[in-house]
Amino acid sequence: MIGYVKGELVESRNGKIVVEVNGIGYNIIVSDTLREELPSIGNQVKIYTYTSVREDAINLYGFTSRDSLDMFYMLLGVSGVGPKGAQSILSFFNVMDLKYAIISENSTLISKAPTIGKKTAERIVIDLKDKISKEDLLVGANDIGVTSSNKDVPDEAKDAIDALAALGYDKKEATKAILSIEHVEELDTNTILKQALKYLY
């Protein structure tokens, strides 16, 4: 199995890129979202890959981060989700938002991804909700500035941020709304959500 491909980006077109490594060009299937993140032709790239082996084809699926690849593997473990479906989901959601949607059991939001129906989205929630660590989500939130180093965010507020993110709100905006609430540390999650939604609207 090929863990990643590092070399020169020599071609980029709909649904696929070619990365040249030591004179060999690797065809890698990618989402349009990933293609937009890549540098221009001729630059060096590092693409994490999944090797799909079937009777009629061997394909490489590519991702720009290890987190995306790990999430891809988790999605493949869900019955009814193949490589194309998993990639479709990850082209619609970033990893952190998808994890929030799964943890909050928001199958309706997940079903908005192309080619993913309601039943498949429900299976994703059922199969993966216990495999995602809430601690990891909070670490990810800290990395993108969801919490403030100057203000200790109570657990109820963190839960409200998670819920708003799962509903599709930008996490930074959700945090700004919640931290604007007076005496937020004295409120329960539902009250925080109601007040935050008023701010966001």
Side-chain angles (χ1 to χ4, degrees):
M1 181 180 294
I2 301 172
Y4 65 83
V5 174
K6 186 177 182 180
E8 181 184 349
L9 180 65
V10 296
E11 189 175 332
S12 177
R13 59 184 185 275
N14 261 351
K16 188 175 291 186
I17 61 173
V18 177
V19 179
E20 183 176 331
V21 183
N22 296 327
I24 299 174
Y26 291 88
N27 283 300
I28 304 174
I29 299 170
V30 298
S31 67
D32 289 338
T33 304
L34 182 147
R35 286 178 61 243
E36 293 172 0
E37 297 174 358
L38 294 175
S40 57
I41 299 296
N43 283 282
Q44 292 289 307
V45 294
K46 181 178 181 180
I47 306 295
Y48 292 92
T49 58
Y50 167 80
T51 307
S52 173
V53 180
R54 303 187 322 188
E55 290 183 2
D56 58 344
I58 299 177
N59 293 313
L60 287 177
Y61 287 81
F63 307 89
T64 52
S65 72
R66 183 76 210 182
D67 282 347
S68 294
L69 180 60
D70 289 344
M71 192 70 235
F72 182 81
Y73 274 109
M74 290 180 69
L75 290 168
L76 289 181
V78 178
S79 175
V81 179
K84 290 183 179 179
Q87 190 177 62
S88 174
I89 294 170
L90 289 172
S91 65
F92 188 79
F93 296 99
N94 65 47
V95 174
M96 191 62 63
D97 286 345
L98 178 58
K99 287 183 176 180
Y100 279 123
I102 293 170
I103 282 288
S104 62
E105 301 185 24
N106 193 338
S107 59
T108 301
L109 180 61
I110 297 171
S111 68
K112 292 182 179 180
T115 75
I116 302 301
K118 181 180 178 181
K119 290 184 178 180
T120 300
E122 290 172 350
R123 282 198 298 270
I124 289 171
V125 168
I126 292 170
D127 290 356
L128 300 185
K129 66 181 180 180
D130 294 328
K131 296 180 180 180
I132 296 173
S133 166
K134 292 184 178 180
E135 288 73 20
D136 288 344
L137 290 180
L138 290 177
V139 169
N142 287 330
D143 289 342
I144 59 173
V146 170
T147 60
S148 169
S149 59
N150 298 321
K151 183 172 184 177
D152 184 26
V153 180
D155 289 340
E156 290 79 6
K158 290 176 182 176
D159 290 340
I161 292 169
D162 292 354
L164 289 169
L167 290 170
Y169 289 97
D170 178 81
K171 287 183 286 295
K172 290 183 180 180
E173 286 298 314
T175 304
K176 183 179 179 182
I178 287 170
L179 294 182
S180 71
I181 299 171
E182 293 185 1
H183 307 298
V184 66
E185 68 278 359
E186 300 175 5
L187 306 176
D188 61 30
T189 301
N190 286 335
T191 303
I192 294 171
L193 273 173
K194 288 178 182 178
Q195 294 194 27
L197 285 170
K198 289 180 181 178
Y199 178 96
L200 291 168
Y201 279 118

